[in-house]
Amino acid sequence: MPTLLAVVNINGFEKTVCSWVPYDHGKKEVTLLVYHGPLDIRRTYMVEEGNVKDLSKEYVTTIRYNDNIRVGNGVTAYFTEYDFMEPKQLPDWAAMVWVNRQKVNIREERVLGKAFIDLNRKVHDVELEIRAGEVVKKLENEERIRYVKSLTDKHKPKVK
């Protein structure tokens, strides 16, 4: 898939996917990462049906299919602004998809020589930035919790 997002007809339903996990021979299943957000091909239907609460939120869900999967007429790729951004500029969900794709490319030796070294370094850097962002968010949440607890402690009646 040359783009981050693509539309696939799976078991008669259109899904906006952003990646896949290699086929698991032991479990006999394929895993797709399905995109949800403003660029979702199904968005207009979901808005009409009232199934969408926050149209601007973007996230990815993992869906596993067993051998009963029926894929329609191939994959229809479409370009978005994400396809022209550096991995470090991507939102966290898209950066993780990029990292996972590149790890598959590295593992399957699709990249060799100097390009392999450069890609490996770039994947490592992007992963570190994502983890750093997660740590900062966690610390911010913990700081907020401590602040709220301090407010409630100040206003508790003191029992003698």
Side-chain angles (χ1 to χ4, degrees):
M1 196 163 66
T3 57
L4 179 67
L5 300 176
V7 178
V8 181
N9 185 312
I10 302 171
N11 296 343
F13 297 99
E14 299 265 311
K15 299 273 187 203
T16 305
V17 298
C18 56
S19 194
W20 66 95
V21 176
Y23 182 75
D24 185 341
H25 294 283
K27 295 179 181 176
K28 295 185 178 179
E29 68 182 14
V30 64
T31 302
L32 294 177
L33 301 180
V34 179
Y35 169 84
H36 305 277
L39 302 174
D40 194 337
I41 194 74
R42 300 165 295 145
R43 179 177 174 221
T44 54
Y45 303 116
M46 291 187 292
V47 169
E48 290 170 3
E49 294 172 4
N51 293 338
V52 178
K53 293 177 183 151
D54 186 3
L55 296 175
S56 63
K57 185 176 180 186
E58 293 180 296
Y59 60 97
V60 174
T61 57
T62 303
I63 299 180
R64 291 177 174 78
Y65 292 96
N66 58 15
D67 287 341
N68 297 330
I69 186 172
R70 291 185 319 275
V71 178
N73 300 324
V75 176
T76 306
Y78 65 94
F79 286 97
T80 65
E81 66 271 11
Y82 297 135
D83 296 307
F84 303 100
M85 296 170 79
E86 284 296 315
K88 289 182 179 184
Q89 298 170 333
L90 292 171
D92 285 349
W93 68 267
M96 278 311 299
V97 168
W98 181 87
V99 164
N100 292 335
R101 273 194 200 172
Q102 300 316 314
K103 283 183 175 180
V104 170
N105 289 338
I106 290 168
R107 187 173 53 246
E108 294 180 355
E109 298 178 351
R110 294 181 186 161
V111 182
L112 301 172
K114 181 163 174 21
F116 170 81
I117 295 168
D118 292 341
L119 180 61
N120 212 4
R121 186 175 295 129
K122 194 171 189 178
V123 166
H124 180 71
D125 290 348
V126 172
E127 260 186 318
L128 283 178
E129 284 200 21
I130 292 169
R131 287 188 192 144
E134 290 171 357
V135 168
V136 167
K137 286 178 189 172
K138 184 177 179 182
L139 290 173
E140 287 174 352
N141 289 337
E142 288 177 2
E143 186 62 34
R144 287 185 188 135
I145 291 169
R146 259 183 275 174
Y147 175 71
V148 170
K149 282 184 179 179
S150 72
L151 288 177
T152 56
D153 288 344
K154 286 179 184 176
H155 299 295
K156 277 186 184 176
K158 295 186 180 179
V159 179
K160 293 183 180 181

